[in-house]
Amino acid sequence: MNYFPDEVLEHIFDFVTSQRDRNSVSQVCKPWYKIESSSRQKVFVGNCYAISPERVIERFPGLKSITLKGKPHFADFNLVPPDWGGFVYPWIEAFARNNLGLEELKLKRMIISDECLELISRSFANFKSLVLVSCEGFSTDGLAAIASNCSFLRELDLQENDVEDHRGHWLSCFPDTCTSLVSLNFACLKGDVNLAALERLVARSPNLRSLRLNHAVPLDILQKILMRAPHLVDLGVGSYVHDPDSETYNKLVTALQKCKSVRSLSGFLEAAPQCLSAFHLICPNLTSLNLSYAPGIHGTELRKLIRHCRKLQRLWILDCIGDEGLEVVASTCKDLQEIRVFPSDPFVGNAAVTEVGLVALSSGCPKLHSILYFCQQMTNAALITVAKNRPNFTRFRLCILDPTKPDAVTNQPLDEGFGAIVHSCKGLRRLSMSGRLTDKVFLYIGMYAEQLEMISIAFAGDTDKGMQYLLNGCKKLRKLEIRDCPFGNAALLMDVGKYETMRSLWMSSCNVTLGGCKSLAKKMPMLNVEIINETDQMDISADDRQKAEKMFLYRTLAGRRKDAPEFVWTL
Amino acid sequence: MELQLGLPLPTHNFIEKFDLNNDGFDPKDDMVGLKPWNCEDGYLGNKRSFEVAFGKNIKGGSQELPLLSWSGQPNDEDDWKGEKKISCSINMNDVEENQVVGWPPIKSWRKKMFHHQHQGVHVVNRNYRMVAGNHENGAGSNTRYVKVKMEGVAITRKIDLRHYNSYQTLTNSLTSKFAKCQNLEKDAAHFTLTYQDRDGDWLIAGDVPWQTFTESVQRLEIVRNAG
């Protein structure tokens, strides 16, 4: 390989697409580093504060596509105050200033303003794809800028964002010359949209394959849209409170019959039973179904629908499907790979699924490897059975609504059950646990979870040992997030070098003190150790023995961040 | 469906590889700044019990769980011998009334879907519970009564909109309420729910997001579909 000219090497590297593999390639030798870096087009930055935009641009001048993640994961659950950070503007501004030919931008948990959206739309002539997941800070005006100015836009995908809605005119901003759309998802928008503009847009987008509407698109418009876009592969529908009149129903059925390519279905904030039954037509071909936004759909309707979905690989559903419904899933969906069962009621005692549903899934679905399961109760016996049935789990997230509830039958902690999971599932990469858990479960995890990369812990453990077992044992750990556990400074400071091998550590409502955090920050200059201080009493010179209520630390090449708000101290 | 105990419960196999005698961690060194054990305060050793963490008083008499002990594992005498912990059960009503920040771990906009649920009786789902009526829930009253009239029915009913979290739950409930006393068909397809908003206009229910609807609705009327 040493004798090949650079162009040949570059061509070979083109076949190496995953970021991890390209990182490995770049570490072989200096010439490979140079070639790989200059030719890499797609970059993933898991923590926007780990590196500066300038440095990324310097290393990857050919950058066309970037993914950036901002806030810590627990921000999803309101544990991080707003304005904590995660602003994308400096990145866009740097890209624009350096004339980067940016084409794709994907953001998760970041703050993006309308000004920033406008800057994007004006700075990058070939901009093709904008994907925003769990972001905020913008309004439909920013979307209007993107629609107006990005002539070659292929993808506008808004997932679960908090968008200020100034009503529907942004859709009309797509010029008549814009015919390149492949994917349009505005399901998270709360307001009305211009329905006529939407219909026209769909009519002039022959490449449209993914369309997710919001609640404001009524059934008769949906039916017209489907008639214009029979090649859709991914469909997200609106909200249908009333059953349609027979004429609309028949038209809907006709339209759905033409949609032979739909493989993914979502939406349904409300779904009257007869309306839902029209969709049974496309169920046999579905590989992905998301009904998790519809608390009003009865279990019986859900079960009826599922029975038609024999090819399902991914299912997101609410727990009102019940254990019975999960048994239907287990017997019907033999190709199922991922399932998420969300609570329709966040209160203890009201979840409609138990360990019975989980065991049924593990037994009936041989390809199941990823699960998120909110339930009322769990038992060690069930978890042990699940571990035996399904050693192929890669992601296992269990949330018992009462977070310290022990085994529902024996009243023992759930240590043995989760121990069995990590022992059996040798490829487990992500784990979340709940229920009564002692230090013992961490001993098991440290011993057996060799591939574990991310773990979320809440209300678990008894002493520092718990966290120590974890840090000692899990060699591939990248993200650790802990809340309400009795882990203190001894655990935090046991192996400070470990944190440089990880992306980040979050600890809230634990026993670490300000002193412990300061000590860590002093020993490890390559880490940003941030304390989020939400009370007035504490200040930086406060007693070091005071507990640090929220600490977030991450490795970084960029030094302390300059945009930290008042309530965030970098030690 | 029978649950079988699959794997034998892990015994000393797990501990063999991990020699606790040599790990050098003395539990006494860990207790920097921690309160001493005191179960009356709700502290289970180092760990705050659920109630203490969230400021609830443990309502007495619910400590029924057996003592947990670590016995039966070789090599662990140094660390776990004699450590016994008492586990207190969680009083479920307490948890309901007090919402723990960030628990359960679901995204905020999903939680907004539940916004109306915790203020009253659930009508949908077989797991509905009576929840105590005296919730503190920030500003605003706890009830939202509106009159509901059905075309052709003499009696007007009154319902509390706070009991519902979606159009579907509302229409289901209304259908069963009216059908019961009037011997009407339960088939909801023949009726349309309409409402009068703040401006006095009569609109078809379902066109605006649920939350917007509950804020502006003044009264409801169920009308028969024409034809």
Side-chain angles (χ1 to χ4, degrees):
Chain A
M1 290 284 266
N2 283 337
Y3 307 110
F4 289 171
D6 290 358
E7 299 79 40
V8 175
L9 280 176
E10 195 179 305
H11 182 68
I12 296 172
F13 293 166
D14 277 350
F15 294 98
V16 181
T17 47
S18 97
Q19 171 134 321
R20 283 193 189 183
D21 290 341
R22 288 197 75 110
N23 287 345
S24 307
V25 163
S26 70
Q27 284 171 347
V28 167
C29 60
K30 267 211 167 114
W32 282 34
Y33 178 95
K34 273 177 70 184
I35 297 168
E36 192 285 316
S37 301
S38 63
S39 62
R40 193 187 301 197
Q41 294 188 342
K42 217 170 171 172
V43 175
F44 171 84
V45 179
N47 174 4
C48 64
Y49 291 120
I51 191 162
S52 71
E54 285 75 21
R55 206 153 161 176
V56 171
I57 295 167
E58 197 188 351
R59 178 162 172 200
F60 303 115
L63 182 68
K64 290 210 168 99
S65 161
I66 189 160
T67 301
L68 289 166
K69 293 190 181 181
K71 300 184 200 179
H73 175 230
F74 277 177
D76 281 348
F77 318 133
N78 291 336
L79 288 175
V80 176
D83 302 334
W84 171 88
F87 306 104
V88 76
Y89 192 86
W91 289 82
I92 302 300
E93 193 272 327
F95 291 155
R97 203 174 355 104
N98 286 278
N99 296 318
L100 232 60
L102 193 68
E103 293 182 12
E104 297 176 0
L105 180 67
K106 178 169 176 177
L107 304 178
K108 187 167 186 179
R109 269 181 238 115
M110 294 196 74
I111 297 186
I112 180 166
S113 62
D114 286 342
E115 290 69 38
C116 190
L117 284 166
E118 187 164 3
L119 184 61
I120 292 169
S121 75
R122 285 188 285 105
S123 311
F124 310 115
N126 275 332
F127 194 73
K128 294 194 171 72
S129 163
L130 181 65
V131 180
L132 301 177
V133 181
S134 302
C135 296
E136 55 179 349
F138 64 106
S139 76
T140 45
D141 293 345
L143 298 178
I146 295 283
S148 308
N149 303 327
C150 299
S151 333
F152 305 112
L153 194 68
R154 286 202 204 138
E155 180 174 27
L156 179 59
D157 184 358
L158 307 171
Q159 297 175 31
E160 303 178 355
N161 302 291
D162 196 356
V163 187
E164 203 180 300
D165 205 313
H166 297 163
R167 303 292 128 167
H169 102 107
W170 66 277
L171 260 180
S172 331
C173 292
F174 282 102
D176 289 339
T177 48
C178 177
T179 57
S180 46
L181 269 183
V182 174
S183 165
L184 178 63
N185 171 8
F186 58 92
C188 63
L189 294 186
K190 300 168 216 145
D192 292 331
V193 286
N194 183 328
L195 297 173
L198 174 63
E199 267 190 85
R200 287 195 302 272
L201 181 62
V202 172
R204 65 176 186 276
S205 302
N207 298 322
L208 196 64
R209 294 293 172 269
S210 169
L211 179 63
R212 296 192 186 188
L213 310 169
N214 76 346
H215 74 92
V217 180
L219 211 54
D220 57 330
I221 304 291
L222 170 68
Q223 168 267 119
K224 285 187 199 161
I225 287 173
L226 289 177
M227 291 300 279
R228 291 197 192 271
H231 302 297
L232 279 181
V233 171
D234 170 23
L235 174 63
V237 302
S239 176
Y240 311 115
V241 177
H242 300 287
D243 275 323
D245 59 61
S246 47
E247 193 192 334
T248 312
Y249 181 84
N250 290 334
K251 283 187 183 168
L252 178 66
V253 166
T254 311
L256 286 171
Q257 274 169 343
K258 291 209 155 70
C259 292
K260 299 199 189 297
S261 309
V262 173
R263 297 286 171 270
S264 167
L265 184 62
S266 61
F268 294 109
L269 286 130
E270 301 260 6
Q274 208 199 4
C275 171
L276 197 59
S277 64
F279 287 90
H280 290 189
L281 275 169
I282 51 176
C283 285
N285 285 328
L286 285 183
T287 56
S288 169
L289 177 62
N290 183 353
L291 286 172
S292 65
Y293 307 122
I297 300 183
H298 278 225
T300 40
E301 296 303 321
L302 287 176
R303 291 193 278 278
K304 265 196 243 171
L305 193 85
I306 298 286
R307 281 185 222 275
H308 295 274
C309 301
R310 302 205 151 267
K311 290 195 186 160
L312 219 53
Q313 294 173 15
R314 198 174 96 135
L315 176 63
W316 288 24
I317 200 113
L318 289 175
D319 64 0
C320 29
I321 194 174
D323 284 331
E324 235 184 276
L326 292 178
E327 281 164 3
V328 172
V329 173
S331 61
T332 310
C333 310
K334 294 306 179 186
D335 284 339
L336 196 67
Q337 296 180 25
E338 174 190 330
I339 186 166
R340 298 192 190 190
V341 182
F342 293 95
S344 50
D345 177 345
F347 290 97
V348 173
N350 284 349
V353 296
T354 67
E355 73 276 14
V356 173
L358 181 63
V359 172
L361 290 168
S362 73
S363 150
C365 304
K367 299 183 188 170
L368 187 65
H369 67 85
S370 171
I371 187 162
L372 170 62
Y373 196 76
F374 285 83
C375 59
Q376 182 180 329
Q377 64 183 48
M378 190 47 56
T379 65
N380 283 312
L383 286 172
I384 289 167
T385 304
V386 168
K388 181 177 165 219
N389 288 341
R390 249 350 78 236
N392 46 323
F393 272 118
T394 57
R395 288 187 211 90
F396 191 87
R397 294 193 280 166
L398 188 74
C399 178
I400 303 171
L401 290 186
D402 175 353
T404 58
K405 190 169 176 156
D407 182 315
V409 168
T410 67
N411 280 324
Q412 295 296 301
L414 291 173
D415 301 336
E416 300 305 322
F418 281 104
I421 294 283
V422 295
H423 183 241
S424 166
C425 304
K426 306 225 182 288
L428 195 69
R429 295 199 308 267
R430 183 169 181 183
L431 177 67
S432 298
M433 309 185 293
S434 56
R436 173 93 179 89
L437 294 163
T438 72
D439 287 344
K440 207 175 200 186
V441 75
F442 298 109
L443 176 62
Y444 292 148
I445 296 172
M447 285 172 75
Y448 293 108
E450 288 173 9
Q451 301 300 318
L452 198 62
E453 296 177 6
M454 179 171 180
I455 179 166
S456 310
I457 306 165
F459 307 102
D462 300 308
T463 72
D464 283 326
K465 278 198 170 37
M467 187 170 163
Q468 286 163 344
Y469 293 146
L470 209 57
L471 292 173
N472 238 352
C474 298
K475 299 296 175 211
K476 295 205 176 170
L477 195 61
R478 291 191 302 118
K479 288 181 277 183
L480 176 57
E481 41 187 31
I482 305 174
R483 64 164 292 179
D484 293 278
C485 296
F487 304 140
N489 295 337
L492 181 69
L493 298 171
M494 175 193 75
D495 178 4
V496 295
K498 174 88 176 172
Y499 304 124
E500 266 190 0
T501 68
M502 293 167 49
R503 184 188 295 175
S504 64
L505 167 67
W506 167 282
M507 288 182 79
S508 60
S509 305
C510 297
N511 291 339
V512 293
T513 67
L514 192 53
C517 297
K518 282 183 181 173
S519 171
L520 175 58
K522 199 164 176 196
K523 290 185 191 165
M524 300 294 295
M526 297 299 264
L527 299 179
N528 276 356
V529 180
E530 296 183 5
I531 305 288
I532 296 173
N533 168 42
E534 291 173 292
T535 65
D536 290 326
Q537 292 104 25
M538 215 169 160
D539 63 66
I540 195 83
S541 58
D543 187 354
D544 280 0
R545 285 169 301 173
Q546 270 206 343
K547 289 208 188 143
E549 188 55 31
K550 290 180 181 171
M551 180 204 73
F552 181 60
L553 67 82
Y554 52 91
R555 67 180 175 192
T556 179
L557 295 173
R560 66 197 298 140
R561 56 186 176 112
K562 299 178 189 69
D563 63 3
E566 270 186 350
F567 54 82
V568 173
W569 307 332
T570 308
L571 300 179
Chain B
M1 166 155 295
E2 269 192 320
L3 295 181
Q4 299 165 25
L5 285 178
L7 283 178
L9 285 175
T11 57
H12 49 270
N13 297 340
F14 281 15
I15 312 291
E16 253 166 39
K17 301 176 197 172
F18 196 102
D19 187 349
L20 295 168
N21 288 323
N22 288 340
D23 75 11
F25 299 128
D26 188 334
K28 298 185 204 63
D29 290 344
D30 301 345
M31 310 241 186
V32 176
L34 295 172
K35 273 179 81 167
W37 293 22
N38 186 340
C39 205
E40 276 155 350
D41 286 357
Y43 276 77
L44 310 174
N46 299 345
K47 181 179 168 186
R48 296 171 292 176
S49 75
F50 191 66
E51 290 88 340
V52 170
F54 306 108
K56 264 320 261 189
N57 294 321
I58 302 171
K59 292 196 174 162
S62 47
Q63 303 190 12
E64 83 280 10
L65 298 177
L67 300 176
L68 303 173
S69 68
W70 295 102
S71 62
Q73 313 290 342
N75 295 334
D76 72 350
E77 295 95 2
D78 293 355
D79 298 283
W80 287 321
K81 187 173 187 175
E83 272 189 21
K84 296 201 192 292
K85 305 200 167 77
I86 301 170
S87 183
C88 306
S89 74
I90 309 281
N91 184 325
M92 302 218 288
N93 286 330
D94 291 347
V95 174
E96 255 176 339
E97 285 171 347
N98 252 340
Q99 286 197 55
V100 173
V101 175
W103 195 268
I106 49 179
K107 290 188 179 172
S108 357
W109 57 267
R110 267 190 200 275
K111 265 199 167 145
K112 283 177 193 161
M113 286 196 315
F114 310 138
H115 179 75
H116 299 282
Q117 280 192 8
H118 62 266
Q119 294 191 42
V121 176
H122 300 216
V123 180
V124 282
N125 297 336
R126 43 209 163 110
N127 280 343
Y128 71 107
R129 298 166 61 87
M130 282 298 288
V131 172
N134 51 336
H135 284 292
E136 317 120 56
N137 197 39
S141 73
N142 277 338
T143 58
R144 181 84 170 84
Y145 282 106
V146 291
K147 287 187 181 167
V148 187
K149 191 181 179 322
M150 180 157 184
E151 195 180 328
V153 173
I155 299 167
T156 304
R157 303 177 78 98
K158 227 173 167 189
I159 56 164
D160 182 357
L161 278 180
R162 299 277 185 196
H163 288 178
Y164 309 102
N165 67 331
S166 70
Y167 287 110
Q168 199 63 47
T169 53
L170 174 63
T171 52
N172 290 345
S173 167
L174 290 178
T175 308
S176 49
K177 276 192 166 66
F178 278 95
K180 255 184 231 166
C181 47
Q182 298 299 325
N183 278 344
L184 298 169
E185 327 141 91
K186 290 199 173 149
D187 188 353
H190 296 261
F191 299 99
T192 300
L193 182 64
T194 64
Y195 70 103
Q196 188 178 39
D197 71 1
R198 281 215 181 100
D199 300 327
D201 300 322
W202 282 94
L203 306 165
I204 295 182
D207 290 339
V208 299
W210 173 255
Q211 226 158 314
T212 316
F213 167 74
T214 57
E215 281 157 23
S216 69
V217 62
Q218 300 302 302
R219 51 174 54 212
L220 293 164
E221 182 165 342
I222 304 172
V223 298
R224 280 179 199 280
N225 290 344

